[in-house]
Amino acid sequence: FHAHGLAGQGDFPADIRLRTNDPDEPGIVVPLRGVVTNQAILDDGEPGFVARGGWTYTIDPNSNTMGVDRDSWSLPGDRRGATARWTFSPLPVGSYRVSTSYIAPLSGGNPSVPFTVRDGSQIIATWNLDQSRSTRDFSTEGAWWKDLGGPYWVNNGELSVEVSDLTNGVGQLIADAVRIERLWEPATDVTVLV
């Protein structure tokens, strides 16, 4: 994950040219192409994700029911104080759509799981999600996602999402992946012709 790519969107071609000091040999040209998008996904096994307080990691490379990259973290609903956090940094100032992905556990997911969205250290929203049902707001990148309200304005260069076990103790909690999408604002410069 490289959040600085969210600053500009598009297709960026370039060439690497290698020269030789042999006049009989031509140089070598290696074409490169990079695509920058306005979205980033942080999965549970990547830098920027931290789980504390008794979470269990599960991976099944043969399963289509384990979430993004076929893995996820689970927690019994009775572990007060346990948290899982995804942190996106550095980010350009702007407005972001924030979504999460998880597959409801067969043994029963918690119907009221608190997700907290932060701009730096400041809490900007808290959402309770019903994890007894899998996410189904929209599908992209091979997974289903649930929006966490918003959009949210980020000023401090860091956006984090935290799920915590401040619940009723019923059912499992799941931590899988978080997706952010920078929403493009119209230009704020105004020119007045008189």
Side-chain angles (χ1 to χ4, degrees):
F1 164 75
H2 296 286
H4 66 274
L6 294 171
Q9 182 177 354
D11 190 355
F12 299 95
D15 292 334
I16 295 178
R17 298 179 186 277
L18 304 173
R19 291 186 276 179
T20 177
N21 59 4
D22 184 346
D24 296 331
E25 297 295 324
I28 298 172
V29 176
V30 179
L32 300 175
R33 182 175 169 194
V35 177
V36 177
T37 68
N38 65 331
Q39 68 177 356
I41 295 172
L42 186 54
D43 193 23
D44 52 34
E46 298 174 354
F49 174 80
V50 176
R52 293 189 174 103
W55 292 84
T56 301
Y57 178 72
T58 305
I59 185 168
D60 185 351
N62 301 313
S63 172
N64 288 326
T65 62
M66 290 303 300
V68 175
D69 288 341
R70 298 183 174 166
D71 64 349
S72 65
W73 291 74
S74 61
L75 181 75
D78 59 356
R79 302 278 172 90
R80 291 259 182 206
T83 61
R85 182 183 283 203
W86 300 260
T87 302
F88 296 86
S89 176
L91 292 178
V93 171
S95 180
Y96 291 85
R97 177 184 191 184
V98 180
S99 312
T100 187
S101 181
Y102 57 85
I103 304 288
L106 297 176
S107 61
N110 192 298
S112 184
V113 179
F115 280 75
T116 302
V117 180
R118 288 183 173 86
D119 172 18
S121 61
Q122 178 184 357
I123 294 174
I124 53 178
T126 300
W127 268 77
N128 285 330
L129 293 185
D130 180 356
Q131 287 194 333
S132 67
R133 295 182 219 149
S134 296
T135 55
R136 287 282 189 255
D137 279 2
F138 66 97
S139 177
T140 187
E141 305 292 328
W144 283 96
W145 300 88
K146 172 74 178 163
D147 284 331
L148 296 175
Y152 300 111
W153 188 260
V154 174
N155 281 316
N156 295 310
E158 180 179 288
L159 184 143
S160 66
V161 175
E162 182 176 271
V163 59
S164 60
D165 188 15
L166 299 175
T167 64
N168 54 14
V170 177
Q172 289 187 4
L173 285 70
I174 303 296
D176 185 18
V178 170
R179 176 186 181 273
I180 62 170
E181 177 182 356
R182 185 166 185 217
L183 305 175
W184 303 100
E185 293 83 29
T188 56
D189 294 340
V190 176
T191 303
V192 178
L193 301 174
V194 182

